[in-house]
Amino acid sequence: MFVETKDTAGEVRILQPLPERTDEGSQAFELRLARLLRVLGVEVAPGADYPSAARWEVHKVLAGRSELPEEYFEPLLEAAVHDPNPSFNRRFVEPALIAFGQRRVRLALLGHLQTGTDPERAGAARAWYWTALTVGGGRNATADDGAAVRDSWNAAALREFIGNEDLDVRRCILPGLPLVARAYPVELHALVETAVDIARSHPDEYIRHRAEIQTGL
C-alpha cells in the first residue's frame, strides 16, 4: 500500500511502504510472542495464522487497560521490537504506552537501538514510530523529559544510520530520522550532511526514495 503526503508547496508525493525485512526473523518473534502469552495466561493454537491470532488475543486482553503488572513490560517491548510487521507491532506498543508511559517505553527502545542486535535495532526503530502517536508524555514525565528523550533518540539514530550498513537497520531508521540540521545540536550538523549523502546515493531504491521525500529534493 502506498501513502500520499503533501510537501510544503502542497505537492502530493507518494511514500513507498517499508519493504519486507531481508531477514524474516519469524522464529525470534514467535518465541517472544509465546513468552508474552504465557505471562498473560493466554493460549493460542499453533498454525499458519499464529502471529495474527496471537496479536489479536493480546489486544483483547490488554485493550483499554490503564494499569498493567510490572512483569508485562519487558515481554510487551520484546514482542514489539521483534515483530517484523511495521503496522501490527502497534498491538504491543500501545498497551505499554498507556500503562507504563511514553518516556519509559521510549527509553527502552533507545536501549535496543544503542545496544541490541541489528534485527533489534531495526525493530526498535519500527516500534518508535508508534510512540509518537500517543498524546501526553507518560507517567511522571514533563514536556522537557519528552524532548530530551526524543533528542537522544534522534542523535543515536543519526549515528546508527551512518555507522551501521545493515540494510534493514537503515531502512527502518530513515523514515523517522530528521534530515535537517536544525533538529540537532551544532556538533551533529556535519553528521546530518553525511546521512543525507548516504541516503541519496544508496543502492537501495527505498532509501533513495525516502531521502528524496524527506529532503524535499
Side-chain angles (χ1 to χ4, degrees):
M1 178 179 179
F2 290 79
V3 178
E4 290 188 356
T5 186
K6 289 186 178 181
D7 60 21
T8 55
E11 179 184 352
V12 174
R13 294 183 176 227
I14 304 298
L15 297 182
Q16 293 181 5
L18 188 66
E20 295 292 328
R21 288 172 52 174
T22 57
D23 175 12
E24 184 184 6
S26 59
Q27 183 176 8
F29 175 48
E30 290 188 12
L31 287 173
R32 270 68 181 190
L33 267 181
R35 179 192 177 195
L36 176 58
L37 293 175
R38 286 195 302 271
V39 170
L40 298 180
V42 175
E43 293 186 5
V44 175
D49 63 343
Y50 173 76
S52 296
R55 290 187 189 101
W56 178 242
E57 289 300 322
V58 171
H59 173 72
K60 287 196 298 183
V61 171
L62 301 183
R65 294 176 59 178
S66 60
E67 294 187 6
L68 296 176
E70 176 64 26
E71 58 266 28
Y72 287 15
F73 181 77
E74 185 179 346
L76 276 171
L77 265 290
E78 288 286 330
V81 166
H82 285 272
D83 193 332
N85 191 297
S87 297
F88 294 147
N89 57 357
R90 184 175 186 173
R91 297 289 194 194
F92 311 114
V93 177
E94 287 192 337
L97 285 169
I98 294 169
F100 300 105
Q102 185 188 61
R103 184 175 187 274
R104 185 175 176 189
V105 171
R106 284 188 155 189
L107 285 173
L109 294 177
L110 177 59
H112 281 290
L113 179 70
Q114 293 174 320
T115 65
T117 63
D118 284 342
E120 288 169 343
R121 289 183 169 104
R126 290 192 302 271
W128 178 269
Y129 172 82
W130 297 113
T131 69
L133 302 184
T134 296
V135 177
R139 292 178 178 174
N140 303 317
T142 66
D144 289 342
D145 289 333
V149 176
R150 180 204 62 213
D151 291 346
S152 294
W153 172 274
N154 286 344
L158 178 65
R159 292 188 174 96
E160 195 67 35
F161 181 82
I162 292 171
N164 192 330
E165 296 184 357
D166 182 84
L167 180 58
D168 288 330
V169 171
R170 280 181 166 167
R171 281 175 170 175
C172 293
I173 284 177
L174 185 56
L177 185 67
L179 292 179
V180 290
R182 65 177 178 273
Y184 303 90
V186 173
E187 61 268 23
L188 296 182
H189 286 185
L191 294 185
V192 178
E193 294 181 10
T194 300
V196 171
D197 289 342
I198 289 172
R200 286 178 179 168
S201 61
H202 200 278
D204 182 63
E205 180 185 1
Y206 174 79
I207 291 178
R208 295 195 310 273
H209 171 77
R210 287 296 324 196
E212 177 186 352
I213 296 297
Q214 290 175 225
T215 60
L217 299 177

